[in-house]
Amino acid sequence: MAATAHASPHDLPGWSRYEQLCVACHGSRGDGLGPAAAYARGEPRDFTRGAFEWRTTPFGAPASDADLARTIRLGARGTSMPAFGDVLGERDIAEMIAIVRAFAPNVGTPQHAIALGVEPAATTNGAAIWARAGCASCHGDDGRGNRALASPPYDLTREPLHRPRESDAPADRRRAAAWSIATGMTGTAMPGFAQLSAADLWALADRVVELGANAHDDRMAMGSAKLAIGTWPGSDPDEATMFGSAVPPQGPPPASLAPAEASLSARQCARCHAKQAREWQPSLHAGAMSVGYRARLADGVDPTNCARCHAPLAEQRSDKPLAAESVQCAGCHVRAWTRRGPAGVAPSLVTLPDYPFTPSPIYDRADFCMTCHQLPPSSAVAGKPLLNTYKEWLEGPYMRRGIQCQSCHMPDREHTWLGVHDPATLRQAYRLDARATRDGDAIRVDVELANIGAGHDLPTTATPAIYVIVELLDGTRTVGRFAQRIGRDIYWDGSWHERSDTRIAPGESLKIARAWHGHATAARVTVEAHPDEYYEGLYASRLGANPLASSLYGAALQKARGSHYIAETREIALP
């Protein structure tokens, strides 16, 4: 499906799907500067340039529709570009191509694919041709890339070959390398080498495959952009209005607003939005100015960065009742006294023609949650920011299916944001399989805990811990016990350190096998959650702070310990 000349991408069929799947990285302007770009592996393509690296057309020629469809369908290994082939049908892909082309409508007419020539058997003289063809000047003799260049190519020995392909089998990698060598990489310094003989071309492809024999795909790799905490990394100015920096003061309310509308308090919002207010009241958002938070302030911690997420309104810095509402309605929905929110008005609400409301698609995207649930790359500890939920979602299976944070944490636009503190929500996130066997006096228990329902690592932050406890029972007596902690274990001694990370990525599982000798009648497997375990240690360590802080720390510690719960217990009789 070709785009009409100069058609706006926003007006084309499929734009809503582009917003759902593509805006995060490529941006609403198609400039490759979407809010996820700073966290992506590889730079998202700037569609406005009309330059596409992975082509089968001659060097300098536009990519064909088939080239673009291949990238959308297969994705790009070693980058954050997922494969959408099992999500998008042919018509969907054609609509995406039309949108991509509409961002740069004057790039010319694509040409037919070039011919690579007969593919010979594997060769061994690739290193000599590599030197003779000048590949080392950019890629280095060893393929690691000439770091002296302003824009060095990626390390072929460390990262997988990015070009889209059906599989990562050596034969598919070889063909992918040959295409890139022959056609070059439009928009980069990589020229095309179609003039080489077929034998030399395939020898170079074999050299690329050889160099990448030990390359691996690091899903948590990201860029090194210098971002301030809590700021919007995308280029869309309207989106930046929401979370481009600390929320600016609203200023005097317009005279056109009714008294309830001229208030920033959730109590006034609740007069019309009663359902949302009831759901919000017991939530962690409503309790973000918790006793633990207040203990940290009393202990002398600078609240500047913390308040950006725990009490985002500028007015909350001077209005104590408003500050006590924590993350409330206006913190997400009011900017310069204009109400912002998703398109569509609940039928229970009165529609007022002069009500200052501006809909925005960001409210239905995971990006909306990013500035408070993702720390910038510069804060990484052991290669991962302490808050890395958005990145985990970006690299997981849910992103490419269009399943956003809101899909699970705000179903039907509920304002509950249930997570690891809620037993039912945790049980929806995992699948537990367990079996126990006996062979003479040897008893073996096998347990597998799979992350089947969380679109991020389980658990996502370093705060909670999940314990899988395996016990061997003789009647009512415990004769053997083992506990596996699942979580990210970090500590602070002037700087952050990571002891271990046993979390489970989306779609992955953790397997536990334990064996004992002796007599037992059953095995018991328990899944137990400690939602605030990191803070338990922090609060306990600060009980000797100043009297006010110590009192608050004590109350916070009691509350954190009280959040423990057993999500599931399973008893297996032994034969």
Side-chain angles (χ1 to χ4, degrees):
M1 180 184 297
T4 57
H6 305 295
S8 168
H10 299 249
D11 296 331
L12 293 174
W15 178 257
S16 61
R17 184 62 66 91
Y18 178 90
E19 278 190 325
Q20 187 182 48
L21 301 177
C22 311
V23 162
C25 291
H26 296 285
S28 59
R29 298 174 166 186
D31 55 7
L33 297 175
Y39 305 103
R41 293 174 292 161
E43 294 182 6
R45 190 74 67 234
D46 178 356
F47 297 144
T48 65
R49 298 173 59 198
F52 298 96
E53 297 178 10
W54 304 312
R55 308 169 343 278
T56 57
T57 55
F59 180 70
S64 68
D65 282 1
D67 293 329
L68 299 182
R70 187 179 302 107
T71 299
I72 295 170
R73 182 168 57 85
L74 300 177
R77 295 170 190 269
T79 79
S80 294
M81 174 65 187
F84 291 107
D86 60 347
V87 178
L88 299 177
E90 291 303 314
R91 179 175 178 177
D92 297 322
I93 290 176
E95 290 177 346
M96 292 299 104
I97 292 171
I99 290 170
V100 168
R101 291 205 182 281
F103 282 116
N106 298 315
V107 296
T109 303
Q111 301 178 24
H112 293 295
I114 67 171
L116 287 183
V118 178
E119 182 175 350
T123 59
T124 58
N125 61 336
I129 300 171
W130 180 274
R132 189 169 73 239
C135 304
S137 62
C138 291
H139 292 281
D141 292 330
D142 56 4
R144 296 183 185 277
N146 183 351
R147 298 299 108 182
L149 297 175
S151 299
Y154 66 86
D155 186 342
L156 294 171
T157 69
R158 184 174 61 87
E159 297 184 43
L161 193 64
H162 293 173
R163 190 182 184 95
R165 52 193 181 276
E166 294 287 349
S167 79
D168 204 34
D172 283 336
R173 273 185 277 151
R174 188 188 197 215
R175 280 188 289 273
W179 275 114
S180 290
I181 294 166
T183 62
M185 312 288 276
T186 302
T188 76
M190 172 74 181
F193 288 88
Q195 74 278 6
L196 293 176
S197 68
D200 286 355
L201 180 69
W202 288 103
L204 285 177
D206 287 331
R207 177 60 175 162
V208 171
V209 172
E210 177 187 18
L211 290 170
N214 296 315
H216 66 282
D217 194 349
D218 180 5
R219 74 183 186 98
M220 284 298 107
M222 64 177 73
S224 57
K226 302 298 183 183
L227 299 174
I229 293 174
T231 58
W232 186 253
S235 63
D236 189 303
D238 183 63
E239 294 172 351
T241 298
M242 297 306 302
F243 288 113
S245 60
V247 180
Q250 307 289 332
S256 60
L257 294 181
E261 297 169 347
S263 171
L264 297 174
S265 173
R267 294 192 301 273
Q268 294 299 332
C269 299
R271 297 179 64 182
C272 293
H273 301 272
K275 175 182 179 294
Q276 291 84 352
R278 285 194 301 269
E279 294 163 350
W280 164 80
Q281 191 60 53
S283 73
L284 289 179
H285 279 186
M289 294 289 283
S290 64
V291 63
Y293 181 89
R294 299 197 305 274
R296 297 299 287 158
L297 298 186
D299 204 7
V301 172
D302 183 356
T304 304
N305 282 332
C306 305
R308 174 66 188 85
C309 293
H310 287 258
L313 291 176
E315 290 78 6
Q316 289 178 299
R317 292 194 289 270
S318 57
D319 187 330
K320 288 187 177 180
L322 194 63
E325 293 182 356
S326 304
V327 184
Q328 39 82 284
C329 315
C332 292
H333 291 284
V334 180
R335 297 294 182 271
W337 291 107
T338 296
R339 270 61 177 178
R340 306 296 300 266
V345 178
S348 60
L349 295 176
V350 176
T351 301
L352 302 175
D354 59 344
Y355 189 73
F357 173 72
T358 300
S360 176
I362 191 177
Y363 282 87
D364 289 319
R365 301 201 323 252
D367 317 320
F368 186 83
C369 311
M370 175 178 57
T371 51
C372 285
H373 294 272
Q374 177 71 47
L375 285 175
S378 58
S379 70
V381 178
K384 307 175 293 288
L386 295 182
L387 286 176
N388 206 30
T389 302
Y390 182 80
K391 170 68 171 176
E392 293 161 9
W393 168 82
L394 181 69
E395 304 295 345
Y398 282 20
M399 181 270 179
R400 66 189 182 93
R401 290 177 169 84
I403 300 174
Q404 313 290 321
C405 303
Q406 296 90 329
S407 304
C408 296
H409 296 283
M410 296 184 69
D412 235 3
R413 293 184 176 172
E414 292 179 2
H415 285 57
T416 52
W417 305 286
L418 296 177
V420 71
H421 287 78
D422 179 62
T425 301
L426 176 59
R427 284 192 289 268
Q428 292 168 353
Y430 72 82
R431 183 188 66 236
L432 175 66
D433 294 313
R435 64 188 183 94
T437 58
R438 186 200 304 274
D439 184 5
D441 70 339
I443 299 169
R444 176 182 170 115
V445 180
D446 289 276
V447 178
E448 181 176 8
L449 193 76
N451 179 355
I452 63 167
H456 45 68
D457 288 3
L458 181 67
T460 177
T461 73
T463 300
I466 299 169
Y467 288 89
V468 177
I469 303 167
V470 181
E471 297 172 289
L472 210 57
L473 307 176
D474 186 5
T476 59
R477 187 167 60 96
T478 300
V479 295
R481 188 179 188 278
F482 172 78
Q484 170 68 57
R485 184 185 189 275
I486 301 173
R488 189 178 184 189
D489 190 2
I490 60 169
Y491 68 95
W492 170 267
D493 64 358
S495 61
W496 288 108
H497 305 276
E498 178 182 280
R499 294 187 185 93
S500 64
D501 188 349
T502 55
R503 295 173 299 165
I504 309 172
E508 302 294 328
S509 63
L510 178 72
K511 296 181 179 179
I512 303 168
R514 299 295 295 179
W516 290 270
H517 287 275
H519 183 268
T521 57
R524 182 167 61 205
V525 179
T526 303
V527 179
E528 183 172 319
H530 296 191
D532 297 306
E533 183 172 275
Y534 171 79
Y535 286 117
E536 291 180 42
L538 173 63
Y539 299 153
S541 71
R542 298 299 299 163
L543 288 175
N546 65 72
L548 175 58
S550 293
S551 175
L552 293 170
Y553 277 130
L557 179 59
Q558 183 178 6
K559 182 178 179 181
R561 287 174 174 170
S563 68
H564 297 188
Y565 64 86
I566 292 175
E568 183 175 357
T569 298
R570 190 174 300 181
E571 196 162 307
I572 309 163
L574 282 164

